[in-house]
């Protein structure tokens, strides 16, 4: 990565600035096994075999040799993160794939002959990460996400209030007119009545279910008979109710 892409010198380094090591099967570094040519790491095949724990390709194993049946090596390059979030070194770890053969078959001429070649197949894998936690980046992402949620909420509220067919009902359910507390403190009758209604409504909601349920029959009330229920007096026969 270039500095123009990352905007940070710690993450804009070349391979020349990274220390590379070849590790043996026990995890110890093999001294002098790797040399750097310009920006390339040069590894002899003998050192790769040594790192994989293979002493000799001609060593017999399972009634044949590795040179005859071939061998597959996996070279895993792991680049860890240092304290400042950058990369300063990478490790090469070589492993032999067990019970695997490396061979290729090639046709020869027009006589239906096939040549079978065996050798060493090398597969490279690379893993690594870099970066560091920054509060400024976290706060920027958090504020941006919060702003997006606010925009979505504003859009939905606008739809409910001005566009949807039942916008008048939605407005009643979502927005409630508050009492003017300045008028309430000054003793305005309208504000006092509104606060009293709020208190009465809260009392009704907190009342037990049995007290909030009431059923009357005509024999019990009669036409035109007044009844009192939670502060409200009504005349059932005349459809009249007053508080």
């Amino acid at each position: 990565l270039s500095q123009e892409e990352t905007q940070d010198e710690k993450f804009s380094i070349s391979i020349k600035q990274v220390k590379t090591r070849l590790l043996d099967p026990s995890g110890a570094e093999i001294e002098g096994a790797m040399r750097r040519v310009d920006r390339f790491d040069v590894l002899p095949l003998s050192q790769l075999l040594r790192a994989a724990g293979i002493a000799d390709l001609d060593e017999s194993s399972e009634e044949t040799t590795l040179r005859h049946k071939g061998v597959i090596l996996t070279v895993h390059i792991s680049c860890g993160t240092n304290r400042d979030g950058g990369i300063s070194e990478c490790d090469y770890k070589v492993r032999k794939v067990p019970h695997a053969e490396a061979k290729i078959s090639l046709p020869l001429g027009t006589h239906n002959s096939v040549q079978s070649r065996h050798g060493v197949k090398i597969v490279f894998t690379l893993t690594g990460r870099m970066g560091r936690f920054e509060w400024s980046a976290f706060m920027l992402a958090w504020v941006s996400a919060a702003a997006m949620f606010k925009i979505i909420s504003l859009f939905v509220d606008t739809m409910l209030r001005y566009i949807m067919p039942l916008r008048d009902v939605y407005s009643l359910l979502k927005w409630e007119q508050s009492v003017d507390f300045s008028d309430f403190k000054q003793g305005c009758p309208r504000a006092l009545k509104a606060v009293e209604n709020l208190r009465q409504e809260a009392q009704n909601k907190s009342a037990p279910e049995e007290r909030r349920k009431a059923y009357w029959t005509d024999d019990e009330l009669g036409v035109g008979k007044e009844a009192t229920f939670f502060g409200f007096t009504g005349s059932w026969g005349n459809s009249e109710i007053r508080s």
Side-chain angles (χ1 to χ4, degrees):
L1 296 176
S2 64
Q3 186 174 352
E4 290 75 13
E5 294 174 315
T6 62
Q7 302 297 323
D8 197 325
E9 295 181 357
K10 294 181 180 180
F11 308 131
S12 305
I13 58 178
S14 66
I15 189 63
K16 297 180 181 179
Q17 301 172 271
V18 179
K19 178 184 177 182
T20 53
R21 305 183 304 169
L22 179 64
L23 306 180
D24 62 15
S26 63
E29 181 181 0
I30 302 176
E31 298 290 343
M34 184 180 300
R35 62 189 180 92
R36 180 72 55 79
V37 177
D38 194 14
R39 60 186 183 90
F40 300 100
D41 288 330
V42 179
L43 280 167
L45 178 59
S46 59
Q47 295 296 342
L48 289 177
L49 294 175
R50 177 185 174 187
I54 301 175
D56 189 0
L57 288 176
D58 295 321
E59 182 179 352
S60 61
S61 174
E62 299 178 0
E63 300 181 355
T64 184
T65 63
L66 293 177
R67 187 184 300 275
H68 180 265
K69 70 176 185 179
V71 62
I72 300 178
L73 301 179
T74 59
V75 181
H76 180 65
I77 306 174
S78 175
C79 301
T81 308
N82 51 29
R83 292 184 177 181
D84 62 358
I87 295 176
S88 59
E89 62 181 18
C90 296
D91 294 333
Y92 287 69
K93 299 178 182 179
V94 187
R95 297 292 182 267
K96 171 182 173 292
V97 179
H99 311 292
E101 297 184 1
K103 67 177 183 178
I104 185 173
S105 300
L106 300 175
L108 296 178
T110 58
H111 301 287
N112 296 327
S113 299
V114 177
Q115 184 184 59
S116 180
R117 295 184 179 182
H118 299 255
V120 179
K121 181 179 180 180
I122 304 175
V123 180
F124 288 88
T125 59
L126 174 65
T127 60
R129 60 181 181 178
M130 62 180 180
R132 64 176 182 271
F133 178 81
E134 288 186 353
W135 279 105
S136 59
F138 169 76
M139 292 301 298
L140 180 61
W142 183 78
V143 171
S144 300
M148 289 299 298
F149 281 117
K150 183 61 178 179
I151 292 174
I152 295 174
S153 177
L154 180 62
F155 173 76
V156 174
D157 290 346
T158 303
M159 292 281 293
L160 292 177
R161 190 170 188 177
Y162 299 107
I163 300 178
M164 299 300 292
L166 298 178
R167 51 186 176 272
D168 54 339
V169 180
Y170 297 148
S171 298
L172 291 175
L173 294 175
K174 185 167 181 62
W175 292 279
E176 182 178 353
Q177 183 102 22
S178 176
V179 178
D180 191 333
F181 293 101
S182 299
D183 295 342
F184 175 73
K185 292 179 180 179
Q186 294 176 3
C188 177
R190 182 176 180 181
L192 293 175
K193 183 63 177 177
V195 172
E196 183 62 27
N197 292 338
L198 289 175
R199 290 173 177 171
Q200 187 68 35
E201 183 180 354
Q203 182 181 358
N204 293 342
K205 289 182 179 179
S206 61
E209 187 69 20
E210 290 76 8
R211 295 181 58 191
R212 283 186 279 148
K213 290 183 178 180
Y215 303 92
W216 292 287
T217 63
D218 293 339
D219 296 336
E220 294 172 336
L221 293 180
V223 177
K225 185 177 180 180
E226 291 186 347
T228 301
F229 180 62
F230 280 99
F232 292 90
T233 302
S235 178
W236 299 100
N238 300 327
S239 300
E240 177 186 357
I241 188 166
R242 63 182 183 274
S243 59

